[in-house]
Amino acid sequence: MLPVALAVVVALVVSQVAIFLTTIYLHRALSHRSMTLRTAAAFPMRVLLWTTTGIKPRQWVAVHRKHHAYTDVEGDPHSPVMLGWVRVQLTNAALYRREARNPATISRYAKDVPPGWWDRHLFDRAWLGLGLGVGVLMLLLGPVWGLVAALVHVVAYLSSNAAVNAVGHHFGRRPYENTATNLVWLALITAGEGHHNNHHAAPTSARLGHKWWEIDFGWWAISVFRAVGLAKVRLERIVFTGPKDRDRVAA
Ligand SMILES: [Zn+2]
Ligand SMILES: [Zn+2]
């Protein structure tokens, strides 16, 4: 395989790993408590998130819960209704960072995710984690192609996350009454996150695909973790919270 092709393939695999961990660990488990993970699964997930994204879980949780509390109204950190979908698509990472650095957002929305020993001593050093991740890619592919792979991963990861917030609140089907949308193609590349209209209708559900044909690879992975005793799902059936969602999340 050509080095450039290998670098791109490795980058897309790394991105997919980060996307699965984002939806399973940061989103479904931590933000919505729709499932719990045993430490044997959660800890390696944290290490991988640290080295592939540098994200601090309490920040991600807080920004995301605020999005559910103020979906597409004043206060939403990244609403395409307020800002336009192109702007959210292109600047989602900056919009995220601005909200993540707001101490009021963290203290209000992530009270239950306080920094622990591992955060204070290791995981809060985002650049160290990212540096380690890039280092591994450089060892694996050589310095040049390792850097190329890191760059491709960053672009793939950030743009697919942005698409959930931008495209996933603008184009697509709305089977439930909320401003988010369902997009099959987006769900396929984001481990199920593209079923975003379903998710806003039933945020406490660990399963984002509601119809049999709504493929949710994140849920498939969760099913494997459940089968080996590493994950527990809180609600077996899909519970719709509708407009009450706002009170529930903000409380
Ligand atoms: Zn949304
Ligand atoms: Zn959510």
Side-chain angles (χ1 to χ4, degrees), residues 18-89:
I19 285 167
F20 271 79
L21 297 177
T22 302
T23 185
I24 294 172
Y25 182 84
L26 293 175
H27 191 200
R28 305 188 206 199
L30 228 51
S31 298
H32 294 291
R33 305 285 177 191
S34 69
M35 55 178 289
T36 49
L37 288 157
R38 297 280 294 270
T39 310
F43 195 81
M45 285 184 178
R46 290 218 53 193
V47 174
L48 281 171
L49 271 169
W50 178 56
T51 49
T52 57
T53 71
I55 286 171
K56 293 174 189 159
R58 63 186 179 281
Q59 293 186 342
W60 200 96
V61 166
V63 174
H64 185 68
R65 285 178 178 166
K66 194 173 181 196
H67 165 63
H68 276 272
Y70 297 96
T71 307
D72 286 324
V73 293
E74 193 66 45
D76 188 336
H78 42 64
S79 164
V81 171
M82 314 295 288
L83 305 167
W85 76 270
V86 176
R87 181 165 165 206
V88 177
Q89 180 66 46

Side-chain angles (χ1 to χ4, degrees), residues 96-193:
Y96 168 84
R97 222 178 10 252
R98 189 167 66 188
E99 194 68 56
R101 284 179 180 167
N102 180 353
T105 301
I106 308 300
S107 62
R108 176 155 187 212
Y109 291 99
K111 276 195 194 78
D112 56 326
V113 196
W117 190 92
W118 284 103
D119 297 289
R120 288 192 302 272
H121 292 90
L122 194 65
F123 296 136
D124 275 358
R125 291 168 176 79
W127 289 107
L128 178 63
L130 288 171
L132 279 172
V134 175
V136 170
L137 287 174
M138 288 168 81
L139 278 176
L140 211 67
L141 300 165
V144 174
W145 295 113
L147 279 175
V148 170
L151 205 73
V152 174
H153 156 59
V154 168
V155 172
Y157 178 76
L158 292 184
S159 50
S160 46
N161 279 338
V164 175
N165 294 336
V167 183
H169 274 261
H170 191 81
F171 301 99
R173 294 169 50 253
R174 289 191 172 96
Y176 304 108
E177 272 183 54
N178 63 64
T179 52
T181 57
N182 284 349
L183 285 158
V184 171
W185 65 266
L186 187 59
L188 289 174
I189 60 169
T190 55
E193 287 287 326

